Amino acid sequence: MTAEHQRLQENKHKQVPLEKWGPYLSERQWGTVREDYGPYGDAWGYFPFEHSHFRSYLWGEDGIAGISDYFQNLCFSIAMWNGKDDILKERLFGVGNYQGNHGEDVKELYYYLDNVPTHYYMEYLYKYPQLAFPYKKLYDENRKRSKHEPEFEILDTPVFKNNHYFDVQVTYAKYNSNDIVIRIDVTNRYHRVADLTLLPTLWFMNKWSRNEKEIKPVIEWVNEQCVHAWHHRLGDYYFYFSESDDLLFTENETNKEKLDGTPNDSIFVKDAFHDAIIHNSNRKKLREKKSGTKCAPVYKLHFKAHETKTLYCRLVNAYIDNPFPEGIENIFKQRKQEADEFYNTIIPTKLSPEQKNISRQAYAGLLWSKQYYGFDVEKWLTNSDGITPVNDGKKSGRNHDWKHLKNADIILMPDKWEYPWYAAWDLAFHCIGMASLDPVFAKHQLLLIMREWYMKPDGQLPAYEWNFGDVNPPVHAMAAWYVYQTEKKQTGKGDIQFLKRIFQKLIINFTWWINRKDENGNNLFQGGFLGLDNIGVFNRSHHIPGNHDLEQADGTAWMGMYALNMMDIALEIAMHDDAFEDTATRFFEHFVLIAEALNEQHTWNEEDKFYYDVLCLHDGSHIPLRIQSAVGLTSLYAVSTINRTILGRLKDFKKRINWFENYRKSNKRYWPNEERSDSEEILLSIVPREKLIAILQRLLDENEFLSEGGIRALSKHHEKKPYSVEIEGHTYSIKYDPGDSTSDMFGGNSNWRGPVWMPLNFLIIQSIRQFGKFYGDSLQVEYPKRSGNILTLEQVADELTKRVFDLFYLDELDERRCYEKYNWFYKQPHNRHLVLFYEYFHGDTGKGLGANHQTGWTALIAHLLQEL
């Protein structure tokens, strides 16, 4: 029981198992749906980056290396100026969706170095150029590039050449839950002198402008090294800081004059520090103000070549005579040691130092991805932001039928810049990784999204804020089962109460799927894009060409997996409460019917030996969409085993499935079970053995799905043989596209037509491992195809894990595959340990693509390394 485990044990009994303070500050609030009050649903255009420094937000805040309390009343982050920029660096810059040639993309260098679940220790590194930040260059180059060209990144500009930049590292160490010490280490990486202005900034989120009843908080001057912050809900906090060159106050309120020319009520507006530092405007008045809702000490730092300077701040809910006593550094050493001890119990000791480094940063990123998310859809639809009146376009537009959704929670985000909003299926994978660190919080997250202020009354889960009504894969039962098993392995005891709670909610969601997504009642399901953006030959979420029906192989397979997950959960509960035995039988029968539909109707193509989506035409004919993709591979995920011990204890369940088996076999109906006389397990799988072997031949072929970095989402077979289909006089085509997306589908910032995706690989590896445990040496395959190398399926799962790991691995040349042409930067001694966790990876080269801090589901690499 490490010190961190003891703190987690104390938090376990809270209503919300969270620390009051954490990395809950977003890295982008502008360009979000929440801040869009316009009539056209153009979130990027309504609140662009250019407005973010002078226009106050309504639903959240953002910053660099920041923290906040869990209701985001009071926030802290750092701001900087290199003496050359036109903008005070208060937040991360990136291009919006239609400014980038592949959609939105952050254009900064920052790294989540360390974190623990209680956030008693956290490290964050930001790299700030000493030359003028290349805002215009990044805009212009990305705009002029086509979708067939790579994105233009900040490392493509000269600003980081010759180490001409600052490393700004922010480290947090808590004395207790309400006493946080902040150390800011700034290093001049350049070989010449350099200057930097640094503003550690404290401010209140503006909740008073939209609510007249809200009591306005205040930050007041106490002395030259202390201010007092008061909020009627949060109470009193004191912010201490090292001796500074100046101390400025303003209000976190919109600069209306810059927004639309309306005169301001005062000079004390959100961007007053920007004007004071860069243009020396009103600086004396900001110094004399002595109170406000935004405050920052100002440090003018001069550095020698390669010099490091350190500043301290402290945020605490009590007045302290000596906030920075001699030995203040010891709290950082202590918390760092405790973090090391904690991770020594999480990360297997058998892993190499490089594997441990990757795992540790993956977990750190997952923890840094916690964010406050506030959104009341009904209030958003029916109120003005003070700029645009309430309008019909908005009232009848995006999410108008989700008025029940009222969120004000800390949620794990996919990426706090590119995707600063929760996504239902991403969250499920986040919780699998989180279970190793903090299973109580992982359980809380899964239960949270099932609560009545998230889930629709009919049982649908919210997908994401761009369209809550979109449909994501039903992976939450799978995640709940993983989280339960992980905690049970850690503690020796399973949380049956958690399984019971979430099981009741999952039944409602499962019923929604059955009633809404099986339109023909034949156990072949739809669902639309199902998280796989552009995987289809056309957009599967929109109007199907010709009003034909699309029966989806992946929608059906996901439901087969869902039924098995529910059966597994019900059986586990039934071992403690036999009232759930009947429910286990119900989900077992659901699975059998779904497996029968997928195998015996028209989704399996015997010629290609692969599962396909099928277009059902009005004349009763069917067109299989013969695209060899993740759609067909989804069938592998629906696999589980039942131990004979369980059948021995659950007599009624055993009796029912025996009757069901005899009935179906005597009537020559499909039966998905497989048994081995030398095994205690019974295998349940959508994919029978013969079809499994056929699919694996494609999966393990380097000319098809298998890449050096893992399994591709679309077979390389389609590189030379694109697929086309003609419907109603229109031709729809798809080809292997291993890099960034070349289509505009779903914003064009994600691509499933060839790259390697971590959740896909995770599920495939887990499924193959499950098959391998059942079949043992009785089923061996060639890996890779045409190599002559014969392996068991468990060995194949290990080899696939190694391939995925190689995306991040630091090789003998000090290069990582994911960095590709940018290895020149990361080979430098002070950068070689830095790891980014990309959204997806190039299907041929392994280069990291998409969001570059997708430590939500890409953190699954740590989970895979644990198993390896």
Side-chain angles (χ1 to χ4, degrees), residues 28-38 41-44 46-47 59 373-375 377 380 394 398-399 420-421 464-468:
R28 177 174 64 81
Q29 184 67 17
W30 59 272
T32 60
V33 169
R34 286 156 283 160
E35 301 293 339
D36 177 17
Y37 281 74
D42 178 16
W44 293 105
Y46 188 79
F47 205 133
W59 294 100
Y373 185 89
F375 197 17
V377 173
W380 174 72
K394 184 155 155 291
R398 173 181 287 131
N399 298 327
W421 30 260
Y464 44 80
E465 67 175 32
W466 288 92
N467 184 357
F468 285 124

Side-chain angles (χ1 to χ4, degrees), residues 544-598:
I544 303 299
N547 274 331
H548 301 296
D549 290 333
L550 182 68
E551 292 180 338
Q552 295 182 216
D554 56 340
T556 306
W558 282 121
M559 284 302 292
M561 185 190 83
Y562 199 173
L564 277 184
N565 296 149
M566 293 294 279
M567 181 202 73
D568 287 335
I569 293 172
L571 286 174
E572 183 75 4
I573 300 173
M575 296 293 282
H576 301 82
D577 183 348
D578 59 11
F580 284 77
E581 200 169 347
D582 292 348
T583 317
T585 304
R586 177 67 174 168
F587 284 109
F588 171 80
E589 293 181 1
H590 263 303
F591 166 73
V592 172
L593 297 175
I594 292 168
E596 177 184 44
L598 195 65

Side-chain angles (χ1 to χ4, degrees), residues 129-173:
Q130 294 175 12
L131 295 172
F133 195 93
Y135 293 105
K136 187 175 187 303
K137 183 75 171 175
L138 289 164
Y139 271 138
D140 292 346
E141 288 296 326
N142 279 284
R143 279 178 175 139
K144 71 169 71 167
R145 291 194 175 194
S146 74
K147 289 194 173 295
H148 296 277
E149 296 175 276
E151 294 175 333
F152 184 77
E153 305 291 1
I154 195 166
L155 284 176
D156 294 318
T157 74
V159 296
F160 285 101
K161 299 289 185 182
N162 302 315
N163 291 325
H164 204 171
Y165 66 91
F166 295 105
D167 267 349
V168 184
Q169 182 164 324
V170 182
T171 306
Y172 295 89

Side-chain angles (χ1 to χ4, degrees), residues 429-486:
F429 290 105
H430 303 169
C431 291
I432 293 173
M434 183 59 71
S436 296
L437 304 174
D438 186 356
V440 174
F441 183 70
K443 291 184 291 184
H444 164 75
Q445 291 283 278
L446 289 170
L447 289 167
L448 179 66
I449 202 168
M450 300 280 171
R451 294 304 300 265
E452 55 275 16
W453 54 89
Y454 285 82
M455 180 188 280
K456 242 185 174 183
D458 62 8
Q460 184 179 9
L461 293 177
Y464 44 80
E465 67 175 32
W466 288 92
N467 184 357
F468 285 124
D470 257 345
V471 182
N472 280 178
V475 290
H476 298 85
M478 177 269 295
W481 184 233
Y482 266 103
V483 170
Y484 171 83
Q485 290 178 306
T486 299

Side-chain angles (χ1 to χ4, degrees), residues 381-410:
L381 288 169
T382 57
N383 286 271
S384 166
D385 61 350
I387 300 169
T388 303
V390 176
N391 55 82
D392 292 336
K394 184 155 155 291
K395 286 164 67 175
S396 60
R398 173 181 287 131
N399 298 327
H400 69 275
D401 55 342
W402 284 80
K403 295 184 182 68
H404 76 285
L405 191 137
K406 293 170 173 56
N407 301 162
D409 299 290
I410 303 301

Side-chain angles (χ1 to χ4, degrees), residues 193-322:
V193 297
D195 296 311
L196 177 72
T197 302
L198 181 68
L199 292 81
T201 307
L202 188 73
W203 76 99
F204 282 109
M205 179 179 167
N206 187 339
K207 300 180 181 181
W208 58 89
S209 291
R210 62 177 175 175
N211 183 0
E212 294 180 355
K213 296 180 181 179
E214 183 77 16
I215 302 171
K216 188 175 179 179
V218 64
I219 303 171
E220 298 176 304
W221 184 91
V222 174
N223 59 49
E224 296 299 329
Q225 290 183 252
C226 176
V227 296
H228 168 230
W230 175 85
H231 187 281
H232 70 285
R233 292 193 187 93
L234 192 61
D236 296 288
Y237 274 84
Y238 291 85
F239 180 58
Y240 301 92
F241 39 88
S242 302
E243 185 177 353
S244 63
D245 297 296
D246 214 340
L247 179 59
L248 307 179
F249 289 87
T250 189
E251 304 292 343
N252 183 19
E253 296 180 355
T254 297
N255 187 332
K256 293 180 285 187
E257 188 172 327
K258 286 187 178 178
L259 179 64
D260 58 16
T262 303
N264 290 314
D265 298 328
S266 79
I267 62 168
F268 303 116
V269 289
K270 180 177 178 179
D271 64 332
F273 296 169
H274 162 89
D275 289 332
I277 299 300
I278 297 176
H279 305 298
N280 202 27
S281 175
N282 296 316
R283 188 158 182 165
K284 182 180 179 182
K285 292 182 179 179
L286 299 182
R287 184 184 305 125
E288 294 173 346
K289 181 171 165 58
K290 302 301 183 185
S291 68
T293 48
K294 183 177 180 180
C295 169
V298 180
Y299 298 89
K300 295 180 179 180
L301 304 175
H302 179 75
F303 295 84
K304 299 174 185 176
H306 308 301
E307 183 182 11
T308 298
K309 291 191 175 183
T310 300
L311 302 173
Y312 289 98
C313 302
R314 187 169 178 179
L315 184 63
V316 57
N317 65 342
Y319 184 80
I320 300 172
D321 289 327
N322 185 12

Side-chain angles (χ1 to χ4, degrees), residues 500-530:
K500 285 184 175 182
R501 287 186 66 194
I502 201 161
F503 187 72
Q504 302 300 331
K505 297 288 188 178
L506 288 166
I507 286 176
I508 300 171
N509 180 246
F510 188 92
T511 304
W512 175 84
W513 272 91
I514 293 293
N515 292 338
R516 296 296 183 92
K517 295 303 172 183
D518 179 15
E519 293 182 3
N520 298 319
N522 59 357
N523 293 301
L524 289 173
F525 291 81
Q526 296 82 45
F529 88 117
L530 288 174

